[in-house]
Amino acid sequence: MLQLTEGFHTYFAGLGKGQFSFFKKLAYSCFTTLRWFLLYDEEVNQLDSHEWHKLIMVHHWPATVCKEVKDHCKDPPDYWTIHGLWPDKSEGCNRSWHFNPEEIKDLLSDMRMYWPDLLHSSPNRSLHLWKHEWEKHGTCAAQLEALNSQKKYFGKSLDLSKELALNSTLQKLGITPSTYYQISDIKDALVSVYGVVPKVQCLPRQGDEEVQLLAQIEVCFSKDLQLQNCMEPGEPAPRGPEARPPASLGLEICKDGVLFYPALNKTNH
């Protein structure tokens, strides 16, 4: 290697001024071209990493969420609330596109009712959740024209939630709190209404708990906002780290067998 380096020094030292200038320009041109290709490759990789295929409409059950955080919730509602609308394989797509509550001021009444923050107790507590959901998930969902602003993203999420009507749907199906169910019965009942396979998540059995607790229900939509399967019929639930949903509170896809649908214990809040 030393001999090769000395050879290059000897060669360039023997070049005339014009020849040396030519090689200098050639080297600069090669470096610029290589740098452009590297930057282009990095940009393509970033675009690929932000590609997604379906939207996941996520509702969670306050009684289970509050149990997971050791009953630190502040006045949780006794109905299913929105957790978020998530593209399936992408998050944090535009870190410079910050949440602005002024853009959703016309939606605040519905947002506070259907999309409350269960975990923070400050006066403006829900802003924390909405900011998180927009900056992590909304900036990626904004690839769709129907979701390409904060008002559109949150407004369409509210619309989809109302169309699903999860609370009344479960009641009509006879699925009510304080009851044990087979996970297969809950999924089959939801399929009978929505026509697609949802994903049901549980809080795993802990301490003196006898069974897993019903925690979260996901219903999926295509990019044209049509219902689609979250999981194909008969598809086995993933195991290990991939079984945990993004931003989960220790939740995992419910295991086959029995689960408990807990009632909200209001005496603890």
Side-chain angles (χ1 to χ4, degrees), residues 82-98:
I82 299 172
H83 188 169
L85 181 65
W86 304 341
D88 61 334
K89 294 183 178 180
S90 187
E91 54 187 52
C93 294
N94 187 344
R95 300 187 186 281
S96 65
W97 197 354
H98 300 299

Side-chain angles (χ1 to χ4, degrees), residues 143-207:
Q143 293 176 19
L144 299 185
E145 183 177 355
L147 304 172
N148 65 1
S149 71
Q150 294 180 45
K151 185 171 184 179
K152 285 183 180 181
Y153 170 72
F154 288 107
K156 180 55 71 173
S157 298
L158 290 167
D159 290 344
L160 294 176
S161 177
K162 292 174 182 178
E163 289 173 18
L164 292 173
L166 183 59
N167 287 282
S168 61
T169 296
L170 290 172
Q171 290 173 4
K172 290 176 182 177
L173 290 168
I175 300 172
T176 56
S178 301
T179 311
Y180 291 90
Y181 294 96
Q182 290 287 335
I183 177 60
S184 58
D185 291 340
I186 290 181
K187 288 196 290 187
D188 289 347
L190 291 172
V191 170
S192 73
V193 174
Y194 298 134
V196 294
V197 180
K199 186 180 291 184
V200 184
Q201 294 163 358
C202 287
L203 179 65
R205 186 170 64 86
Q206 300 177 350

